[in-house]
Amino acid sequence: MARKKLYSQTNEPAHIPLDQRRIVQTAILLLNEIGLKELSMRKIADSLGVKTASLYYHVKDKDELLQLLCDTISEELVWPDSSLDWKEQLLQWGLNFRQLLQAYRDSVDIFLSSIALSHNRLLQIEKLFRLLADAGFDDQHIPWASSMLKNYVFGFVTEEAQMAAHAKAKAVSSAELTETYQNAYTQLPAEHFPTMTRLAAYTTDPDWESEFRYGMGVLIDGFTMRLTAKGKQH
């Protein structure tokens, strides 16, 4: 299981000296309140009760702030038990990473906003690379496989967030949104969309947990087949 969010309290006493940790903590609190698009150095400064210029002694610009946010979030990712089979470790990694990203608003956008340069983020990549290397993957293929896994988790979390955002924008519950889409799909002309109408219940009311595990399983099965084929070649 991924750790609970580190930051759950607001408004530290004003007499506490301003430092990078306080700036990042405040940024994360604001992120979950207003989202990445509205997050700015000025709003962080206002929340801390300081002038915006004061932040730049500790954080060079918003790009550096995004790196720090990635690093802080990455530090919370719990790594699977190394005694597990590599395939189970990959599945648990995916489950933990998804849960962690779900805990922070616009987390995927934050990770995609910059390349990995910070310590904790690089450390998580190192662990994933090492796991795949120990499993027997060729060096050339390890970054490719890692990107496939990462992009699957990013895409899945993004889709979940988008569905929640659609429901919020329409001021309806997820169940009500599902019912609306399901009605629309089932009423499609069957002569043109026979498969879509038949699968409407599955398309519009996804079992997110089972679907995520299915997708991870497909990737892991594919990786396993590649390793098996590689072994037969030697």
Side-chain angles (χ1 to χ4, degrees):
M1 297 289 289
R3 297 177 191 166
K4 294 181 179 179
K5 291 180 282 186
L6 291 175
Y7 306 118
S8 58
Q9 298 182 358
T10 58
N11 299 326
E12 292 187 42
H15 67 270
I16 296 179
L18 185 64
D19 58 19
Q20 194 175 85
R21 183 196 66 82
R22 284 190 66 203
I23 294 170
V24 173
Q25 176 180 352
T26 301
I28 286 179
L29 290 170
L30 283 174
L31 173 71
N32 284 332
E33 291 175 8
I34 64 177
L36 181 60
K37 185 176 180 180
E38 297 298 323
L39 184 67
S40 68
M41 299 295 272
R42 181 185 62 78
K43 289 181 179 178
I44 296 170
D46 289 345
S47 183
L48 286 165
V50 300
K51 294 185 180 300
T52 305
S54 301
L55 302 185
Y56 294 108
Y57 287 103
H58 308 280
V59 179
K60 182 174 63 175
D61 50 30
K62 190 171 181 180
D63 287 341
E64 183 177 13
L65 176 65
L66 293 174
Q67 286 281 359
L68 291 168
L69 290 175
C70 282
D71 202 55
T72 301
I73 295 172
S74 296
E75 187 178 12
E76 295 185 53
L77 182 59
V78 176
W79 198 257
D81 185 345
S82 60
S83 67
L84 295 172
D85 178 79
W86 70 268
K87 296 185 286 293
E88 181 62 25
Q89 286 191 62
L90 278 185
L91 174 60
Q92 291 300 319
W93 169 86
L95 292 169
N96 290 350
F97 193 26
R98 172 188 170 219
Q99 185 180 35
L100 179 61
L101 292 173
Q102 289 173 328
Y104 292 96
R105 184 173 174 180
D106 298 330
S107 56
V108 174
D109 290 335
I110 292 172
F111 274 85
L112 293 177
S113 67
S114 61
I115 61 173
L117 293 174
S118 57
H119 176 80
N120 290 313
R121 188 176 177 186
L122 289 172
L123 187 60
Q124 294 297 345
I125 296 173
E126 166 67 23
K127 290 179 180 179
L128 185 57
F129 279 9
R130 191 185 314 153
L131 171 58
L132 293 170
D134 290 345
F137 287 89
D138 291 335
D139 284 356
Q140 179 184 11
H141 299 152
I142 289 172
W144 300 353
S146 297
S147 290
M148 291 172 68
L149 290 161
K150 173 198 68 177
N151 290 334
Y152 173 70
V153 180
F154 280 171
F156 199 92
V157 171
T158 297
E159 185 174 0
E160 288 182 290
Q162 287 174 341
M163 288 297 292
H166 288 327
K168 183 177 180 180
K170 294 179 179 293
V172 298
S173 67
S174 295
E176 290 172 323
L177 185 65
T178 292
E179 184 178 0
T180 298
Y181 286 144
Q182 192 169 100
N183 289 337
Y185 278 39
T186 55
Q187 291 173 16
L188 290 170
E191 64 272 21
H192 297 299
F193 304 99
T195 311
M196 288 192 67
T197 53
R198 178 168 58 85
L199 300 180
Y202 305 104
T203 305
T204 59
D205 188 17
D207 178 347
W208 294 109
E209 185 67 23
S210 296
E211 183 180 345
F212 182 80
R213 286 176 175 269
Y214 179 83
M216 286 293 298
V218 169
L219 287 172
I220 293 169
D221 288 348
F223 295 158
T224 303
M225 290 178 63
R226 287 284 182 172
L227 281 183
T228 302
K230 173 188 172 185
K232 291 179 179 179
Q233 294 173 359
H234 294 286

